[in-house]
Amino acid sequence: MAFAHQTLNHQYDNSLVSNAFGFLRLPLNFEPYQSDAQAVITGVPFDLAVSGRSGTRYGPEAMRRISMQLAWEHCRFPWTFCLTDKLKVCDCGDLVYDFGDPHSFERNLTAHIGKLAAACKIPLCLGGDHFITLPILRGLQPQHGPMALVHFDAHSDTYAQGSQCDHGTMFHRAPEEGLIDKSHSIQIGIRTEYDARDGFLVLPAPVANDLSPAEIAQQIIERCGDMPCYLSFDIDCLDPAYAPGTGTPVMGGLSSDRILKVLRALGRLNLVGMDVVEVSPPYDHSDITALAGATIALEMLYLLASKQAD
Ligand code: MN
Ligand code: MN
């Protein structure tokens, strides 16, 4: 399937009809492993691991729908190039799994991501609750080894008691399984109980809100160095004023403006995978949170594109 290099809205100029659009009106491609795409978007409509309010299974659908509002700019402000001129991107739809069998979900997601990584694609997953990051990391690990983690969140997600396995435990398990290297990992925006002995570098929200975006980005880049890096964005890193539609909102978060400036300064990271999680449309208003999630996902794609040669 050809990738348009003109304004994304106009890539179907030669067709009179289509109602099957991917994120940002990008082509849907259900065989992404064989495609020439460099980055592959996957919806992961899973919310069986929440500790509180569910609803993130509707996140991918909501982010895709609102992303249509973002498709008209040829060069997204303030970038100076068109995304699809520099990066081949496709959307392969939503992960298939049996809602009655959470283990099939883990297996399928790990297998899907593993096939993408083996084909040298960079996955960008739209959640879903934050638990999805664990099977994603497992899929990337054979290709990329222990990764640096850049984790935006109100919660450390390092909580673990016994065999507990939910959307607040992944980053306790991921280092244990050799998926991430804590000494090169950083958590930004934390503003709930966490254990400083966990071994991550933490920029709590009150600290991050007193730093400049450039200073935050610098700390992230210094921490990760050249390591293969996974970027995970829990939408509750944003203040509930900017992202009310999420399962566990916490006051005192970062603003949209601050997050966009930080993300745009992360071009030096060696990104091998990314996600935007915890958008929960049943608790959203006016699509505020879906728009935040879709915009952050788009900025992640622009980050990848900015690293490609002209
Ligand atoms: Mn969170
Ligand atoms: Mn989280």
Side-chain angles (χ1 to χ4, degrees):
M1 186 173 284
F3 288 89
H5 62 276
Q6 292 302 311
T7 305
L8 293 167
N9 262 340
H10 297 149
Q11 62 188 308
Y12 290 96
D13 274 355
N14 294 330
S15 309
L16 293 176
V17 289
S18 176
N19 67 352
F21 292 111
F23 182 80
L24 208 69
R25 296 188 192 278
L26 288 163
L28 277 170
N29 186 335
F30 301 128
E31 294 181 348
Y33 321 113
Q34 285 86 36
S35 75
D36 63 352
Q38 297 159 289
V40 175
I41 296 164
T42 308
V44 187
F46 174 87
D47 62 5
L48 300 178
V50 291
S51 54
R53 308 188 296 182
S54 58
T56 62
R57 70 179 65 188
Y58 304 108
E61 173 192 330
M63 283 187 271
R64 281 200 188 91
R65 183 165 28 82
I66 199 71
S67 76
M68 304 299 168
Q69 302 283 329
L70 303 172
W72 65 273
E73 279 183 300
H74 181 66
C75 300
R76 172 170 168 73
F77 178 87
W79 298 95
T80 54
F81 57 88
C82 175
L83 177 69
T84 50
D85 279 350
K86 297 192 94 173
L87 188 75
K88 294 184 173 71
V89 193
C90 75
D91 184 336
C92 67
D94 287 353
L95 184 84
V96 174
Y97 72 98
D98 181 348
F99 275 93
D101 181 1
H103 295 296
S104 79
F105 160 75
E106 287 188 62
R107 282 195 304 272
N108 291 4
L109 183 51
T110 296
H112 170 63
I113 297 298
K115 289 175 74 171
L116 289 177
C120 300
K121 319 294 186 195
I122 298 180
L124 166 56
C125 291
L126 307 176
D129 75 49
H130 210 162
F131 179 75
I132 72 167
T133 304
L134 187 60
I136 292 170
L137 291 171
R138 288 175 183 151
L140 291 170
Q141 200 270 349
Q143 205 69 26
H144 298 294
M147 289 157 271
L149 174 73
V150 177
H151 171 208
F152 292 87
D153 206 321
H155 313 87
S156 72
D157 293 345
T158 52
Y159 316 107
Q161 293 165 357
S163 60
Q164 184 184 344
C165 199
D166 64 30
H167 72 154
T169 61
M170 306 79 61
F171 302 130
H172 175 80
R173 296 187 179 279
E176 283 185 342
E177 295 185 21
L179 307 177
I180 61 172
D181 178 346
K182 287 193 285 190
S183 67
H184 289 284
S185 296
I186 182 167
Q187 300 179 305
I188 304 104
I190 310 300
R191 52 192 186 280
T192 50
E193 182 181 22
Y194 71 96
D195 189 339
R197 295 168 300 180
D198 281 337
F200 294 91
L201 175 60
V202 178
L203 287 183
V207 174
N209 276 328
D210 283 345
L211 294 172
S212 73
E215 287 169 331
I216 297 172
Q218 185 185 356
Q219 293 217 31
I220 293 170
I221 288 165
E222 284 177 4
R223 183 71 170 179
C224 298
D226 297 326
M227 282 191 70
C229 179
Y230 188 83
L231 176 55
S232 184
F233 201 101
D234 183 328
I235 204 70
D236 70 28
C237 179
L238 290 171
D239 190 86
Y242 304 92
T246 191
T248 52
V250 186
M251 286 179 67
L254 279 63
S255 72
S256 302
D257 177 64
R258 177 170 292 268
I259 284 299
L260 291 174
K261 286 172 177 165
V262 172
L263 288 175
R264 287 171 186 150
L266 297 181
R268 280 177 52 197
L269 293 180
N270 176 17
L271 294 169
V272 297
M274 306 172 291
D275 64 49
V276 181
V277 296
E278 297 287 351
V279 171
S280 186
Y283 295 97
D284 207 2
H285 308 279
S286 306
D287 290 330
I288 299 171
T289 315
L291 178 64
T295 303
I296 288 166
L298 180 53
E299 288 292 334
M300 288 176 173
L301 292 173
Y302 263 92
L303 257 192
L304 287 183
S306 71
K307 296 160 67 72
Q308 306 294 320
D310 287 319

